[in-house]
Amino acid sequence: MKRIVISVILLCVVAFGCFYSVYAVNDITGKMLDKIHEVERAFEDGDTEKSVQTAKELSEDWNKFIDFAILVNDLGHALEITSSMAEIHSFAQEGDDELYPACDRAEAQIDMFRDMQKPTLWKIL
Amino acid sequence: MAIVLIRAVILYIVITFSLRLMGKRQLGELQPSELVVTILISNIAAIPVEDSSVPMIMGIVPILTLVCLDVIMSGFMLKSPRMRKLIIGSPRIIISEGKVLQKEMNRLRYTVDDLMESMRNQQIFDVDQIHYAIVETTGKINFFLKKDFQTAEKQDVSAGGSTENPPSVIIRDGIIDNEQMRLLGLGEKWLTKTLREEKISEKRVFLMTADKNGKYGIIEKE
């Protein structure tokens, strides 16, 4: 009986962890996308200081998340996003127009990363 | 390489814990579901050890999930005979009253060679000696012999004698097993007295066994 109770608890913890990670990824990626738009807007408005600051926050927030993201699928993809975040920060500092394609690329990567976590039927099967 | 080493240690702990959670069944007695889980665990565990690009959690989560499901399933099977029958099946008779049930053997996909091999494993060399043969859910065949071929027991030859208690180990390598002492109902006083009589300290004992009647045996350390 003790084994069964331990198993039920363990299974609940594992299931909670797995589903919570889907929620957490959804939440953080939503915030990341908003921040990317903020960086783009600030850059468009010529507010370099704000765009650099937001890009820095973007990169730091993502790194913080990735340090604890032990239950996410496709960690390789997550590391690609890390480098895209660094690119955005670097282009914002330089005031380079390459920032726009970098932001678009990061958005696409984040969208895909978020999609990868959702347990939809085609991914399960 | 340090990563591989640490991963291997962690996975060893996780798998040992998982198999401990599954319980004490011998490999040959695994039910189909347990066999599946055991094979899957060994395969899943190998991936994160071999490939350091795969996160270890990708191995730990499915292992824990499979083991927990197996234990929960066995809990259900304990409570529900119908569930048990559905998951592990039920024993099947393939020889009934000395007659080989060929249809049943065909259904179980058992050949005559399988039957003969199982018979030989149990020192039976003639199918005519068998009264009943039952295929257990583990796949093992158990035989019940005809009366003429059964081994005589003490009661058949009217031999007396009381049931003896098997001896248990109470000191191993100088360390007293208090649990066994308690089960045997032998007090600490009895042990001290016995060791004093034998002129040996507990630290010098390699192995000491005793039964409930206080009959004991001692092997001294060399």
Side-chain angles (χ1 to χ4, degrees):
Chain A
M1 196 62 199
K2 212 160 61 180
R3 282 201 173 98
I4 297 170
V5 173
I6 293 171
S7 299
V8 171
I9 294 169
L10 259 178
L11 194 64
C12 289
V13 170
V14 169
F16 173 78
C18 291
F19 284 103
Y20 179 75
S21 76
V22 177
Y23 163 78
V25 168
N26 204 31
D27 188 44
I28 189 85
T29 49
K31 284 177 187 162
M32 294 283 121
L33 290 173
D34 288 345
K35 275 206 170 151
I36 290 174
H37 291 144
E38 247 179 77
V39 173
E40 278 183 308
R41 263 199 306 273
F43 193 77
E44 262 174 13
D45 298 344
D47 189 350
T48 318
E49 201 178 319
K50 195 185 173 193
S51 74
V52 171
Q53 183 58 34
T54 317
K56 194 181 167 201
E57 281 172 21
L58 189 68
S59 188
E60 281 171 357
D61 287 354
W62 179 255
N63 286 338
K64 241 184 259 171
F65 166 72
I66 235 39
D67 282 346
F68 295 97
I70 53 166
L71 286 172
V72 298
N73 289 329
D74 200 0
L75 212 55
H77 199 103
L79 295 174
E80 278 174 25
I81 297 173
T82 308
S83 74
S84 294
M85 295 299 173
E87 261 183 0
I88 292 173
H89 185 211
S90 152
F91 289 137
Q93 276 177 322
E94 290 164 11
D96 193 333
D97 279 350
E98 279 296 310
L99 180 109
Y100 297 115
C103 285
D104 291 344
R105 200 163 43 245
E107 276 174 34
Q109 282 172 333
I110 287 172
D111 268 339
M112 196 178 168
F113 180 68
R114 179 161 59 180
D115 264 7
M116 286 300 292
Q117 312 305 317
K118 287 178 188 163
T120 54
L121 195 62
W122 72 269
K123 272 178 251 155
I124 293 168
L125 298 177
Chain B
M1 282 312 269
I3 292 173
V4 176
L5 180 87
I6 295 165
R7 282 177 164 217
V9 171
I10 294 172
L11 278 168
Y12 170 78
I13 294 166
V14 170
I15 293 169
T16 308
F17 168 75
S18 304
L19 292 179
R20 182 77 186 79
L21 195 65
M22 276 174 74
K24 294 179 200 284
R25 272 185 194 269
Q26 289 181 0
L27 204 64
E29 292 170 2
L30 291 177
Q31 298 294 350
S33 63
E34 291 167 333
L35 182 70
V36 170
V37 171
T38 313
I39 292 169
L40 276 174
I41 284 176
S42 64
N43 280 328
I44 293 167
I47 300 167
V49 174
E50 283 173 358
D51 188 352
S52 57
S53 66
V54 176
M56 203 174 62
I57 203 78
M58 297 291 166
I60 292 174
V61 168
I63 287 173
L64 285 181
T65 308
L66 285 171
V67 171
C68 291
L69 283 177
D70 186 65
V71 176
I72 293 167
M73 208 55 144
S74 66
F76 277 128
M77 284 194 284
L78 208 66
K79 300 279 177 204
S80 158
R82 198 181 285 176
M83 188 74 151
R84 189 162 55 235
K85 204 173 168 187
L86 185 76
I87 304 292
I88 63 172
S90 54
R92 295 281 181 175
I93 297 171
I94 54 170
I95 297 179
S96 176
E97 293 178 1
K99 192 179 168 221
V100 179
L101 305 177
Q102 294 178 33
K103 266 190 187 167
E104 198 60 39
M105 279 185 68
N106 284 337
R107 195 186 302 168
L108 294 170
R109 280 171 280 125
Y110 261 79
T111 63
V112 176
D113 291 335
D114 295 329
L115 178 65
M116 296 308 282
E117 192 183 320
S118 295
M119 282 167 55
R120 287 195 294 275
N121 276 336
Q122 297 186 39
Q123 304 294 316
I124 305 164
F125 294 91
D126 188 352
V127 76
D128 284 339
Q129 295 179 3
I130 301 164
H131 193 51
Y132 277 101
I134 300 162
V135 179
E136 302 297 347
T137 51
T138 55
K140 193 183 170 204
I141 306 178
N142 283 322
F143 298 98
F144 181 72
L145 298 178
K146 286 176 182 168
K147 220 171 186 181
D148 296 344
F149 301 102
Q150 286 175 10
T151 315
E153 293 183 356
K154 272 196 172 179
Q155 60 178 358
D156 296 324
V157 292
S158 307
S162 58
T163 307
E164 286 181 12
N165 300 310
S168 305
V169 177
I170 55 171
I171 300 182
R172 53 170 69 77
D173 218 4
I175 297 165
I176 300 170
D177 189 331
N178 290 317
E179 179 65 16
Q180 281 304 325
M181 289 284 291
R182 192 183 58 76
L183 290 173
L184 290 171
L186 300 170
E188 211 172 295
K189 275 185 186 167
W190 173 86
L191 182 65
T192 316
K193 189 173 154 241
T194 309
L195 291 174
R196 200 182 300 136
E197 278 171 10
E198 293 291 333
K199 290 175 184 154
I200 186 171
S201 70
E202 62 186 62
K203 298 281 173 213
R204 293 286 311 143
V205 176
F206 177 68
L207 177 70
M208 180 172 180
T209 57
D211 64 15
K212 279 187 175 171
N213 302 324
K215 198 175 153 193
Y216 65 89
I218 297 177
I219 299 173
E220 203 176 335
K221 275 186 189 172
E222 285 177 355

